[in-house]
Amino acid sequence: EVVKYMGVTYVKTVEVESGIQKLFKASSGASIFSTGYESIKFAGKNKFIVCKGGKCGLLDQKQRQLISLDYEDLSVSDTVDFKYIFPFIVKTNDKYGLITKYGEFVLKPKCSKIEYIGLGFYKTEAKGKVAYVTRLGENVDEAVVLKKLERVKKASFEKQ
């Protein structure tokens, strides 16, 4: 499979029997991940979420570990704009939290749900209570979040 991501073309291969994925730069044939992982997902410029043995982490293109492969799941918060430092949503022991690309927790895994809702805001649920936090893990009032989201939505509608 040929994949173009952030201006770079990659070739992703999948071994038929094992399902192991490998990733190469198309321009040079240089191997990014030749040892193989069960899953390789793009996560920003030169960063990749990889999973092996049911555990996920974050590696750079030189296979340096940025977030250890200790988590049940790891996902990108915002796939649109990587110029801001948005934390990753991480799952461990069936609880969700937010972790930076340096492996530091912004919000320790204690939530039953976390959803990225835009503009650096997250909707969380823990012990049946809903709360909103910023990308820095700071609590924020729901009315403030909804007002900001509505303002952006209205502005983008008016541009059309």
Side-chain angles (χ1 to χ4, degrees), residues 139-156:
N139 287 318
V140 63
D141 186 72
E142 177 183 15
V144 171
V145 172
L146 297 178
K147 186 175 181 178
K148 286 186 178 190
L149 291 172
E150 186 60 36
R151 195 176 316 141
V152 169
K153 185 177 175 183
K154 184 178 177 184
S156 65

Side-chain angles (χ1 to χ4, degrees), residues 27-100:
S27 60
S28 63
S31 171
I32 304 293
F33 297 113
S34 61
T35 53
Y37 291 92
E38 294 155 5
S39 172
I40 300 171
K41 297 181 266 184
F42 297 97
K45 188 172 183 177
N46 301 321
K47 291 177 190 60
F48 305 87
I49 294 172
V50 297
C51 300
K52 192 173 198 172
K55 297 292 182 177
C56 301
L58 183 71
L59 303 179
D60 67 12
Q61 69 178 1
K62 294 182 179 177
Q63 298 194 40
R64 290 182 295 220
Q65 188 171 281
L66 303 173
I67 298 175
S68 61
L69 276 87
D70 291 329
Y71 301 100
E72 296 164 29
D73 194 18
L74 186 67
S75 59
V76 176
S77 297
D78 186 356
T79 57
V80 177
D81 193 350
F82 286 109
K83 71 182 177 187
Y84 297 106
I85 302 171
F86 286 95
F88 294 84
I89 297 173
V90 65
K91 180 181 179 187
T92 187
N93 298 322
D94 287 326
K95 297 292 182 189
Y96 293 89
L98 298 173
I99 192 169
T100 69

Side-chain angles (χ1 to χ4, degrees), residues 95-120:
K95 297 292 182 189
Y96 293 89
L98 298 173
I99 192 169
T100 69
K101 65 181 178 182
Y102 304 110
E104 300 164 352
F105 282 105
V106 171
L107 181 66
K108 291 190 180 197
K110 60 182 180 181
C111 303
S112 55
K113 289 182 185 177
I114 291 184
E115 176 187 1
Y116 180 70
I117 57 173
L119 297 177

Side-chain angles (χ1 to χ4, degrees), residues 116-147:
Y116 180 70
I117 57 173
L119 297 177
F121 294 112
Y122 299 81
K123 181 179 180 181
T124 67
E125 188 175 318
K127 297 180 182 176
K129 294 184 180 181
V130 172
Y132 293 84
V133 297
T134 68
R135 65 185 176 91
L136 303 174
E138 300 163 336
N139 287 318
V140 63
D141 186 72
E142 177 183 15
V144 171
V145 172
L146 297 178
K147 186 175 181 178

